[in-house]
Amino acid sequence: MINVKAAVFIGPNQPLEVRELQIPAAPGPNEVLVKLAASGVCHSDLHALDGDWETPAPLVLGHEGAGVVIAVGSEVTELEVDDHVILSWTPSCQKCEFCVSGNPVLCQLANDTAYQHVFFDGKTRLSDGDEDVKSFLAVGSFGDHAMVPASAAIRIRKDAPLAQAALVGCAVTTGIGAVVNTAKVEPGSTVLVVGCGGVGLNVVQGARLAGAKQIIVADVSAEKLELGLKFGATHTINSREVDLVETVRELTGGRGVDYAFEAIGLPFTIEACYEAIRRGGTAVVVGQVADGVKISIDPFVMSDQEKKLIGSNYGSSRQSIDFPRIIDLYMEGRVDLDSMVTDRIKLDDVNEAFAEMRQGRGIRSVIEYANSRPGE
């Protein structure tokens, strides 16, 4: 066993406790042990921490991580010690109908296990003495080591900084993928993005990469609207000051946008996105809502105007393809990851990072463990 310094969830609305846990030094046959370099502090972790989602305890939060492989299981052939990897919170079995049809984010085995914060065998790998400790989404990146299924460790080039690469493990792929993979936005399209947090800003980047001619961002924060412009938006709407749907129609000649992306996870903003699309347009739910949230949509309008309301999970990504591709785009200067990292913190400061998040400050706090920059 080796020791792991980790931030442990002990129950909703309670601060995370930084503890020393244990993890096996030898991975299982199809698993790898990763020394984490960095982990983003994501809003999904806040959902668990604040009790919006039913989450078991004790559990190591964190699901947006990157690091270096330090041990591989006996049956692992696609990874080696010293590989740099981004962790995926949807490990794929590579056998079910979803995986073999190119939809690994819908993997049935991952849904039954990783989404319950356990491994494919239904067990966890972390412990605190005699007590089992689960890993959030079978990742648990708020720890300086993580054991993960081999399919959840995606190899990337070694010259990419791991603090920035960690963000590709959730927010970046979720946002860009929602545009490119889920909605398949065409060049020349008009796009609305509601919410300029970590995911929303990457929806903006995805729309820019896809060649959208008009990218409208909406938020209640003037600071975040400025960030929207920095990441590629053409127009901004402060929806605290003006009516969102009316303003979108004014900006589009009364037509509405071709695509609208909701990147917050609130019922009224989802409904607003649906109202803001044109006849035949598509609204995409990207933001994660609290348990039990419902929305109200007029089904006659849906059929009469052929409006589409669809969901996007993890950007409909194929992580083994999309993670390295996004890293390449970053290294070529076509995707901005640097501006997303607004705070670099130590693990002991994670509760303060969540306090900042609750107040809507910054884009991403990134926990740095060690070796977050290649060559150090």
Side-chain angles (χ1 to χ4, degrees):
M1 304 292 281
I2 61 174
N3 292 328
V4 178
K5 183 178 180 181
V8 181
F9 170 79
I10 58 173
N13 302 305
Q14 298 183 60
L16 298 180
E17 292 187 357
V18 177
R19 300 181 185 174
E20 189 172 272
L21 307 177
Q22 295 75 48
I23 198 169
N30 290 295
E31 299 168 1
V32 297
L33 180 61
V34 177
K35 182 178 181 182
L36 270 291
S39 174
V41 180
C42 178
H43 205 277
S44 293
D45 300 302
L46 185 63
H47 275 306
L49 189 59
D50 285 353
D52 295 336
W53 296 344
E54 186 175 345
T55 306
L59 170 143
V60 175
L61 279 176
H63 60 286
E64 191 178 68
V68 179
V69 175
I70 60 172
V72 299
S74 60
E75 297 180 13
V76 175
T77 58
E78 66 273 24
L79 291 167
E80 299 177 350
V81 170
D82 293 329
D83 278 345
H84 288 203
V85 294
I86 299 172
L87 302 186
S88 163
W89 47 264
T90 303
S92 57
C93 71
Q94 302 172 346
K95 297 178 182 178
C96 72
E97 61 176 305
F98 300 107
C99 287
V100 299
S101 63
N103 297 286
V105 295
L106 301 179
C107 175
Q108 186 63 53
L109 186 57
N111 182 77
D112 296 339
T113 56
Y115 282 22
Q116 308 307 314
H117 318 295
V118 293
F119 280 62
F120 289 159
D121 61 4
K123 299 178 181 178
T124 185
R125 299 296 183 266
L126 290 168
S127 59
D128 187 359
D130 294 331
E131 183 179 30
D132 287 340
V133 179
K134 293 184 176 181
S135 301
F136 192 52
L137 297 171
V139 173
S141 59
F142 289 178
D144 57 14
H145 290 77
M147 190 85 74
V148 296
S151 62
I154 310 302
R155 181 171 49 217
I156 60 169
R157 56 197 287 178
K158 290 186 177 181
D159 57 342
L162 290 169
Q164 287 89 327
L167 307 185
V168 176
C170 186
V172 178
T173 298
T174 297
I176 292 176
V179 176
V180 176
N181 298 327
T182 309
K184 296 179 172 61
V185 169
E186 304 93 345
S189 298
T190 56
V191 172
L192 168 67
V193 183
V194 177
C196 292
V199 171
L201 291 173
N202 283 289
V203 175
V204 173
Q205 295 209 84
R208 174 174 51 78
L209 288 169
K213 69 176 181 182
Q214 187 178 39
I215 306 171
I216 306 166
V217 292
D219 206 294
V220 297
S221 164
E223 178 185 0
K224 289 191 173 181
L225 290 171
E226 285 298 316
L227 285 169
L229 292 171
K230 180 176 182 177
F231 277 77
T234 59
H235 300 77
T236 65
I237 298 173
N238 190 321
S239 49
R240 192 191 299 278
E241 300 174 353
V242 297
D243 183 272
L244 171 60
V245 176
E246 288 183 4
T247 308
V248 168
R249 295 200 181 282
E250 289 172 4
L251 290 171
T252 56
R255 178 174 176 270
V257 290
D258 299 315
Y259 298 92
F261 296 85
E262 201 280 350
I264 303 173
L266 296 173
F268 70 91
T269 48
I270 295 172
E271 293 166 0
C273 281
Y274 184 76
E275 290 182 37
I277 57 175
R278 63 166 172 79
R279 298 170 66 88
T282 301
V284 186
V285 179
V286 188
Q288 296 291 302
V289 302
D291 286 340
V293 167
K294 307 293 182 185
I295 62 172
S296 178
I297 296 293
D298 186 336
F300 177 79
V301 172
M302 178 177 281
S303 61
D304 184 63
Q305 298 187 18
E306 292 195 351
K307 287 189 170 189
K308 294 176 281 293
L309 179 65
I310 63 176
S312 178
N313 180 27
Y314 215 166
S316 305
S317 58
R318 294 171 295 170
Q319 299 94 311
S320 61
I321 295 173
D322 291 343
F323 286 7
R325 182 175 291 169
I326 291 171
I327 290 294
D328 285 343
L329 289 170
Y330 162 68
M331 298 298 286
E332 294 165 7
R334 298 174 62 192
V335 167
D336 185 359
L337 301 183
D338 297 332
S339 298
M340 287 193 64
V341 182
T342 47
D343 291 287
R344 295 174 183 264
I345 64 172
K346 301 301 182 185
L347 182 63
D348 292 323
D349 300 320
V350 66
N351 288 306
E352 287 75 12
F354 281 118
E356 293 284 307
M357 183 182 292
R358 292 186 183 97
Q359 296 178 39
R361 296 176 182 168
I363 306 173
R364 264 299 187 274
S365 293
V366 175
I367 300 167
E368 291 190 296
Y369 299 106
N371 299 322
S372 61
R373 302 173 183 88
E376 290 190 355

